[in-house]
């Protein structure tokens, strides 16, 4: 008997806060490979694979299936058989205007549809998805996949054909496919891209954990109330719990467990209390309890429920801190704190965790922003740097970068550039570079006078830096030109 | 489907090929040779000669014989390469009207594309003779390291020659296409192409399904057999000066003989280790005595004379592998292309560098043309499953503040590719923006090749920064750059004209095309004349042979005597027309000749007596 992990079809692994080792593992799970195979194909140690699988199972991403014997033949490596989604049959509900099909070009209908589908789906896919390969596919597999899809979208396939508006689309698809190939076949660029993808996922997951805290806190409170109410009502009815209550208790419980799974990030669920699971009979008291006692009991039950929840969430918060998962910790602390509003220590802990979470998130966004800026995706970079600033309100450089990227993006909001540029200068008044950025933002916004003033100060601050000096004098010329006209 | 020929327009030799029944085949020229010297000459009588005949008369007509024109194509008059060529070439190179280069042959000057067009035209005619049908489409190859101006000029040459150049392909890439043609393999190969004028190295991947992807390419457009020859010439000239105190360079004819001898010696030394260079009566001394040149050149002397040239090739290979991020042992095969790779020293260095025996599977002189033909047929034939993904050999960018080079499209980017950049006005009411487009790898813009400058005009008069123009820089599959601009505000396409700083204008190309066509008419009619002449001479010969017999038979009658007199008249007239090379007149007399011929035949075959 061997245990084989299978992907849980109902779970979107993309939304989970996975480490890069875990995502690699996920990519290799094909329903046939056992733990040993996975260790071999991922290059991870067997114990690491086991540990990761446990976590993945707890996250609901995989389930372990017992099979009679290990498959003797190793399955072909993942990624060989798959192909680019751009070659797949068209979308049933195309995201493009059917009018585009009517253009007078020398392409048959099927081709037109394929090109439009591909073009409008480009931004949906990561480079891996675009080529239809896994994150673990090797260079050769990436190339094979690229060679299969790229010729379909190479302009030479339509040599001297009238293509109209389809031409730039074909070229855009080809260029993107080639970029994906180039990035994924260069060790260095692929590592950077992987890191970026990891970072992106982690940032998204962390962000959503934090965003959901409020909702989660409400859910917990509701669960507590419901649990207590269940007890009360059951007692009132002097009878085994009616279906309705059981159902309500159950639904509250499910929600709670789902939440707990998310918060605990793979740790075992703490022992259930208060609302026992439906298959464990709840002990209901006999009849004839007077209302006052009932109320007291209810209050007690409620308080106990609260306390226990506080303990649970504190525990999971501490565990999260240990894991350095500050987003989860902050979330758990916040819920705990909301259940015990008078506990000052808890409030302080919650604040600190929140602080750490924001800083951690900022760190993540910084990495994301730096990659985006290197790729000259200015709009995205400006956004990500902006998120860095949220976690690091005193980081001058991050503010400076928001201003710079905003200026570089087409259609950037110059007021935003000025705002962030100003903040950067406020935070680090002695850095000439930031003043130059601000000056340039001023120029873009039509405020030459302010620009000149900044440049003067920048010049005083950086009398030695030749390169900066040249930039300053150029910018001055620019400002002067604008002003004089 | 119209046939597409592939032409390798080489510095020294050109070659034409076609895919025939799915098989790439080299088309031999009229002399039966598979390659044709890229030489053009004008004789004293003003007759144009191309190929072998031009080469044969080069020594006696050195000043009016052009070789290695490819080294000049698309170059500026002011470039150091042209400066150097002016000093060493036996023909006259002068400055053209756009700061470009012109060549003086007798009383006429020609642009370099025109000279190349003559060679292309010759190749076209070869193909037409071979196929017995007109050919108008061609794929022409250029060195991978050619820049935009050089590519553009080569395209112009094709146009002047009356060819629709459907694609410009890089020579090493074409070689790879021929190498991989019809085989299924997944392989990384390097193509090392050392020809007469240029050196190219390309690293490619051949993928399943007929995909050829160039990973990196580099080279030197002024490094080839010509430079090896020059080293030998220098060595000979210096030795002669030391011995006789006479500078052979002063005499163009002597120089041409030296050049010939140097190349011959170089080629010989690829098979033997020692050769004698013997040029009697090379020049006369000041005292009017004839001097002879006689020297022994050994292979090892040649190798030491050219050591740095070979080293430069290897240096470039090293750099290219680095750019391709490949280790030497990841290259699974090395393909040698170009006549110079027959030199043992070159082969040894390549072998040593790549750590493997170079492939012997391809013919170094023909493989480029074959590949061009393969690409041509793949482009026009939709059933062909072959796609070529080539790269741009040079970075494309613009000049910015402080004459810095702002790179927009990096070197080795897969083409076709495009990159947009938004420009905005920097002054109020500014209505024009000037942009300088350049190609090259240097940080300093001035070190790079200026492709052209253009001015965006007719911008809306508005406060500064309000008008935004999106300029798109494009490199197409020919490696040729184009620029277009769009006013972002109203979406209007701005028309811009990149005027290549050393190219030909549209009008010039048009005029040259007309000239070339005229030459074709001329040439065709002379071909036609030759045919008529042969036919007429045969008839005349037959008639004359029959005269005595016919005279004997018919002399008795008046009618007979009259007929004989008429026949003599016809023959004389036809002769005169042949002497005058008047094909129309010959044609006119042909019928009477044929009639007389028939009549005579009838008379002599009739039984008499
Ligand atoms: N056996 C040989 N040994 C050495 N060199 C040779 C030999 N045969 C030819 N060459 C040289 O090779 C050169 C011509 O090569 P090739 O015909 O490949 O050049 P090309 O295609 O005309 O030039 P390019 O590709 O540079 O434009 C000449 O310099 C010639 O002297
Ligand atoms: Mg060649």
């Amino acid at each position: 008997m061997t245990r084989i992990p299978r992907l849980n079809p109902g779970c979107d692994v993309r939304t989970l806060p996975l480490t890069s080792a875990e995502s690699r593992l996920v990519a290799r799970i094909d329903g046939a490979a056992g733990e040993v195979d996975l260790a071999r194909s991922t290059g991870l140690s067997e114990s690491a694979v086991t540990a990761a699988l446990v976590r993945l199972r707890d996250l609901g991403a995989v389930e372990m299936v017992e099979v009679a014997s290990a498959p003797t033949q190793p399955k072909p490596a993942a990624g060989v058989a798959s192909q680019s989604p751009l070659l797949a049959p068209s979308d049933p509900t195309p995201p493009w205007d059917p009018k585009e099909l009517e253009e007078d070009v020398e392409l048959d209908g099927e081709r037109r549809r394929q090109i439009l589908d591909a073009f409008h789906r480009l931004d949906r896919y990561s480079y891996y998805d675009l080529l239809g390969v896994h994150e673990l596919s090797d260079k050769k597999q990436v190339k094979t996949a690229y060679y299969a899809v790229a010729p379909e979208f190479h302009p030479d396939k339509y040599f001297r054909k009238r293509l109209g508006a389809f031409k730039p689309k074909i070229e855009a698809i080809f260029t993107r496919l080639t970029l994906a190939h180039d990035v994924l076949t260069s060790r260095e660029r692929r590592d950077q891209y992987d890191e970026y993808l990891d970072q992106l996922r982690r940032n998204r997951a962390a962000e959503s954990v934090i965003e959901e805290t409020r909702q989660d806190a409400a859910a917990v409170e509701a669960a507590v109330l419901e649990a207590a109410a269940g007890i009360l009502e059951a007692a009132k009815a002097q009878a085994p719990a009616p279906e309705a209550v059981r159902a309500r208790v159950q639904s509250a419980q499910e929600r709670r467990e789902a939440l707990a799974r998310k918060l605990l990030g793979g740790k075992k669920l703490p022992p259930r209390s208060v609302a026992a699971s439906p298959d464990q009979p709840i002990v209901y008291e006999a009849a004839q309890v007077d209302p006052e006692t009932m109320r007291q009991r209810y209050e007690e039950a409620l308080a106990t429920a609260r306390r226990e929840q506080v303990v649970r969430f504190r525990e999971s918060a501490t565990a999260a801190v240990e894991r350095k998962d500050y987003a989860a910790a902050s979330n758990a602390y916040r819920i705990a704190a909301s259940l015990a509003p008078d506990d000052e220590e808890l409030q302080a802990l919650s604040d600190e965790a929140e602080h750490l979470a924001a800083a951690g998130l900022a760190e993540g966004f910084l990495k994301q922003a730096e990659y985006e800026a290197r790729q000259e995706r200015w709009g995205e970079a400006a956004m990500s740097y902006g998120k860095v600033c949220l976690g690091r309100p005193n980081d001058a450089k991050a503010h400076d970068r928001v201003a710079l990227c905003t200026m570089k993006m087409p259609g950037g909001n110059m007021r935003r550039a000025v705002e962030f540029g100003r903040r950067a200068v406020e935070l680090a008044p002695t850095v000439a570079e930031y003043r130059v950025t601000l000056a340039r933002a001023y120029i873009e916004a039509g405020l030459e006078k302010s620009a000149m003033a900044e440049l003067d100060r920048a010049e005083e601050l950086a009398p030695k830096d030749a390169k900066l000096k040249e930039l300053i004098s150029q910018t001055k010329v620019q400002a002067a030109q604008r002003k004089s006209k | 489907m119209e046939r597409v020929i592939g032409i390798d327009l080489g510095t020294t030799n050109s070659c034409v090929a076609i895919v025939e029944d799915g098989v790439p085949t080299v088309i031999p020229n009229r002399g039966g040779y598979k390659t044709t010297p890229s030489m053009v000459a004008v004789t004293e009588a003003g007759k144009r000669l191309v190929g072998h005949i031009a080469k044969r008369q080069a020594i006696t007509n050195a000043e009016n014989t052009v070789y290695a024109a490819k080294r000049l194509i698309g170059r500026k008059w002011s470039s150091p390469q042209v400066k150097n060529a002016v000093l060493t070439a036996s023909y006259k190179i002068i400055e053209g009207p756009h700061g470009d280069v012109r060549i003086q042959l007798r009383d006429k000057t020609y642009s370099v594309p025109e000279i190349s067009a003559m060679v292309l035209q010759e190749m076209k005619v070869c193909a037409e003779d071979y196929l017995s049908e007109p050919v108008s489409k061609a794929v022409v190859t250029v060195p991978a390291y050619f820049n935009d101006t050089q590519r553009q000029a080569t395209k112009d040459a094709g146009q002047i020659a009356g060819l629709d150049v459907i694609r410009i392909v890089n020579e090493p890439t074409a070689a790879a296409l021929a190498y991989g043609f019809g085989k299924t393999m997944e392989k990384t190969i390097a193509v090392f192409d050392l020809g007469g004028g240029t050196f190219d190295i390309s690293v490619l991947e051949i993928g399943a399904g007929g995909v050829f992807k160039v990973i990196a390419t580099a080279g030197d457009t002024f490094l080839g057999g010509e430079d090896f020859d020059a080293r030998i010439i220098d060595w000979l000239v210096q030795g002669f000066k030391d011995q006789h105190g006479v500078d052979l360079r002063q005499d163009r004819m002597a120089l041409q003989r030296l050049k010939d001898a140097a190349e011959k010696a170089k080629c010989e030394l690829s098979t033997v280790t020692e050769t004698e260079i013997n040029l009697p009566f090379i020049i006369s001394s000041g005292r009017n005595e004839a001097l002879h040149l006689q020297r022994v050149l050994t292979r090892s002397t040649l190798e030491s004379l050219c050591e740095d040239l070979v080293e430069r090739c290897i240096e470039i290979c090293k750099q290219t592998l680095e750019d391709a991020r490949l280790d030497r042992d990841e290259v699974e095969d090395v393909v040698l292309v170009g006549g110079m790779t027959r030199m043992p020293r070159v082969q040894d260095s390549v072998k040593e560098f790549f750590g493997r025996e170079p492939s012997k599977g391809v013919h170094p002189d023909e493989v480029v043309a074959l590949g061009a033909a393969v690409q041509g047929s793949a482009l026009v034939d939709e059933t062909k499953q072959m796609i070529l993904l080539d790269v741009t050999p040079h970075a494309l960018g613009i000049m910015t503040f402080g004459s810095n080079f702002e790179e927009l499209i990096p070197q080795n980017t897969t083409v076709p590719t495009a990159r947009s950049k938004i420009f905005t006005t920097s002054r109020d009411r500014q209505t024009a923006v000037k942009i300088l487009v350049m190609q090259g790898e240097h940080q300093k813009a001035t070190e790079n090749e200026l492709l052209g400058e253009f001015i965006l005009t007719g911008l809306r008069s508005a406060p500064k920064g309000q008008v935004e123009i999106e300029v798109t820089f494009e490199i197409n599959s020919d490696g040729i750059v184009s620029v277009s601009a769009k006013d972002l505000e109203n979406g209007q396409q701005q028309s811009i004209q990149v005027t290549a700083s050393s190219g030909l204008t549209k009008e010039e190309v048009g005029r040259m095309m007309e000239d070339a066509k005229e030459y074709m008419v001329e040439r065709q009619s002379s071909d036609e004349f030759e045919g008529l002449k042969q036919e007429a001479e045969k008839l005349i010969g037959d008639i004359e042979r029959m005269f005595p017999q016919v005279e004997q038979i018919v002399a008795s009658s008046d009618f007979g005597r009259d007929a004989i007199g008429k026949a003599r008249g016809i023959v004389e007239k036809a002769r005169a027309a042949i002497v005058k090379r008047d094909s129309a007149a010959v044609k006119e007399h042909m019928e009477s000749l044929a009639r007389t011929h028939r009549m005579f035949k009838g008379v002599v075959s009739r039984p008499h007596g």
Side-chain angles (χ1 to χ4, degrees), chain B residues 8 10 70 171 193 195 368:
Chain B
D8 170 9
K70 191 175 173 183
E171 284 158 16
D193 180 355
V368 171

Side-chain angles (χ1 to χ4, degrees), chain B residues 425 429-433 456-462 467 469 487 494:
Chain B
T425 49
R429 290 189 299 283
Q430 182 178 358
T431 56
V433 174
L456 296 170
T457 51
L459 305 182
R460 180 173 61 92
S461 174
V467 181
I469 308 106
D487 193 325
Q494 273 263 343

Side-chain angles (χ1 to χ4, degrees), chain B residues 83-102:
Chain B
K83 288 260 139 67
N84 180 44
V86 170
L87 292 178
T88 56
S90 58
Y91 52 94
K92 207 163 161 197
I93 303 168
I94 55 173
E95 184 173 2
H98 316 294
D100 60 336
V101 177
R102 300 281 155 122

Side-chain angles (χ1 to χ4, degrees), chain B residues 136-147:
Chain B
S136 69
K137 288 195 167 73
V139 170
V140 177
T141 62
V142 296
Y145 214 53
F146 256 21
N147 65 28

Side-chain angles (χ1 to χ4, degrees), chain B residues 8-11 13 70 171 193-196 198 337-339 364 368:
Chain B
D8 170 9
L9 179 61
T11 309
N13 299 299
K70 191 175 173 183
E171 284 158 16
D193 180 355
L194 187 59
T198 56
V337 182
V368 171

Side-chain angles (χ1 to χ4, degrees), chain B residues 66 68-69 71-79 81-83 85-86 91-104 109-115 501-504 508 512:
Chain B
V66 187
R71 297 202 124 186
L72 302 174
I73 203 163
R75 294 206 192 261
K76 290 190 182 74
W77 169 252
S78 57
S79 68
Q81 290 91 342
V82 171
K83 288 260 139 67
V86 170
Y91 52 94
K92 207 163 161 197
I93 303 168
I94 55 173
E95 184 173 2
H98 316 294
D100 60 336
V101 177
R102 300 281 155 122
I103 292 164
Q104 173 108 39
T109 59
Y110 299 86
S111 68
V112 184
E114 268 179 299
I115 301 285
S501 39
S502 66
L504 299 173
E508 279 175 309
M512 290 168 185

Side-chain angles (χ1 to χ4, degrees), chain B residues 445-493:
Chain B
T446 44
E447 297 286 303
N448 294 321
E449 176 85 11
L450 176 69
L451 297 186
E453 52 180 69
F454 63 87
I455 299 176
L456 296 170
T457 51
L459 305 182
R460 180 173 61 92
S461 174
K464 67 200 163 252
Q466 277 201 6
V467 181
E468 285 188 328
I469 308 106
E470 186 182 57
V471 180
T472 304
F473 300 83
E474 239 183 303
I475 303 180
N476 69 11
S477 302
D478 290 329
I480 288 177
V481 178
S482 67
V483 185
S484 63
K486 195 166 78 183
D487 193 325
L488 283 183
E489 201 178 42
N490 50 22
Q492 234 170 47
Q493 207 70 28

